[in-house]
């Protein structure tokens, strides 16, 4: 996989380069700021971009603005955003914005190399991966959703497994049903939760957040690890 990195911390930037190259990926660019990144994406056509939220010169939202720009200009380009702290507003912008697969992880997750590399691979394959801390923050912004009461018991079961980041195939295997049955249940879930069709697959993220809220938020072992939602 060809990866472009935009991270102002030289230690983290070089660490990411070595980590990804050691994992068999090719780093086609490693930038200390956002200058020239958009042009490099046009020229080098990476398979994934990894961007820091806060970049020079103001260290406010340069990185996230670049991420949104890239997602709008290159809808099929997977983007992984790294942040030192939970930036709930920026996560919401990514979820609601145009574009394809993306991830939003806290930088601490990089320390777990195996999990981080797995997250990179999943995003490149079309998944949406949210840090569990980001999910928890998003939950605090949502009021009680009475739409959840519309779901049948079986639909709630399917949604609970979906909230673990499972693909339709994995949900079918876990519940011992056909993929066609899973697709039928998920379609009903989207309709009852009034989640409109989009091109990014973010309905799965929003449906999972609705489930997490209705059950009291992230808990147990499932959401103490990275939480991914496969498009």
């Amino acid at each position: 996989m060809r990866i472009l990195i935009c991270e102002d911390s030289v230690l983290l930037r070089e660490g990411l380069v070595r980590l990804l190259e050691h994992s068999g990926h090719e780093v086609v660019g490693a930038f200390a700021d956002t200058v020239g990144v958009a042009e490099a994406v046009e020229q080098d056509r990476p398979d994934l971009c990894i961007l820091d939220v806060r970049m020079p010169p103001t260290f406010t939202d340069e990185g996230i603005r670049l991420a949104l720009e890239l997602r709008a200009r290159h809808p099929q380009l997977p983007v992984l955003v790294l942040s030192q702290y939970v930036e709930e507003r920026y996560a919401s912008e990514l979820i609601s914005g145009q574009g394809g697969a993306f991830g939003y992880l806290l930088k601490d997750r990089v320390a777990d190399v195996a999990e981080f590399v797995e997250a990179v691979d999943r995003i490149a394959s079309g998944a949406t991966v949210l840090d569990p801390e980001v999910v928890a923050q998003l939950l605090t912004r949502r009021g009680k959703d009475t739409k959840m009461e519309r779901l049948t018991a079986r639909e709630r079961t399917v949604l609970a497994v979906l909230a673990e980041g499972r693909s339709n195939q994995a949900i079918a295997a876990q519940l011992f049903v056909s993929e066609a049955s899973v697709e039928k249940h998920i379609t009903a879930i989207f309709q009852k939760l009034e989640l409109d069709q989009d091109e990014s697959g973010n309905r799965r993220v929003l449906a999972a957040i609705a489930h997490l809220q209705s059950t009291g938020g992230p808990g147990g072992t499932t959401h103490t690890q990275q939480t991914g939602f496969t498009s």
Side-chain angles (χ1 to χ4, degrees):
M1 186 195 321
R2 292 162 50 81
I3 300 175
L4 184 146
I5 299 170
C6 185
E7 165 61 55
D8 65 290
S9 168
V10 63
L11 291 179
L12 180 55
R13 185 172 66 252
E14 293 303 317
L16 287 171
V17 170
R18 294 185 182 183
L19 184 160
L20 293 169
E21 290 182 341
H22 181 75
S23 300
H25 301 302
E26 177 186 358
V27 177
V28 298
F31 293 78
D33 55 44
T34 60
V35 177
V37 173
E39 291 77 8
V41 170
E42 291 281 356
Q43 179 178 340
D44 298 327
R45 297 292 177 177
D47 301 307
L48 172 78
C49 285
I50 299 177
L51 308 170
D52 186 7
V53 167
R54 298 179 180 271
M55 297 288 294
T58 68
F59 295 96
T60 54
D61 63 351
E62 283 87 353
I64 201 69
R65 285 192 284 107
L66 176 59
L68 292 170
E69 176 187 344
L70 292 177
R71 280 168 56 75
R73 294 174 61 178
H74 307 278
Q76 302 307 314
L77 175 65
V79 174
L80 169 57
V81 173
L82 299 179
S83 179
Q84 189 70 39
Y85 310 102
V86 176
E87 306 270 9
E88 183 270 335
R89 177 169 62 88
Y90 298 146
S92 297
E93 287 184 41
L94 283 172
I95 291 173
S96 60
Q98 296 180 345
F102 77 95
Y104 190 110
L105 298 176
L106 296 184
K107 292 183 178 180
D108 290 346
R109 306 297 174 188
V110 180
D112 191 325
V113 174
E115 274 198 2
F116 178 74
V117 172
E118 180 185 5
V120 167
D121 291 339
R122 291 178 67 193
I123 295 166
S125 298
T128 295
V129 179
L130 295 180
D131 193 287
E133 293 297 326
V134 174
V135 174
Q137 189 85 333
L138 289 172
L139 289 172
T140 65
R141 302 293 184 181
R142 295 176 60 90
K144 179 175 176 58
D145 193 348
T146 57
K147 300 184 187 72
M148 289 291 296
E149 299 173 2
R150 304 174 184 174
L151 303 185
T152 66
R154 191 57 167 174
E155 289 164 354
R156 287 176 180 269
T157 300
V158 171
L159 179 55
V161 183
L162 182 152
E164 297 176 3
R166 308 293 184 181
S167 65
N168 287 7
Q169 182 180 12
I171 295 173
Q174 184 168 330
L175 300 181
F176 302 102
V177 297
S178 67
E179 285 191 54
S181 178
V182 170
E183 291 174 2
K184 179 180 178 181
H185 286 309
I186 291 178
T187 297
I189 290 168
F190 289 158
Q191 290 175 344
K192 291 180 180 180
L193 295 182
E194 299 178 9
L195 299 174
D196 296 331
Q197 178 68 49
D198 61 28
E199 297 179 356
S200 65
N202 289 337
R203 290 189 302 175
R204 297 178 78 94
V205 178
L206 298 174
I209 288 174
H211 165 75
L212 291 172
Q213 185 207 9
S214 71
T215 56
T221 57
T222 300
H223 296 285
T224 57
Q225 305 297 322
Q226 288 179 359
T227 304
F229 307 101
T230 305
S231 301

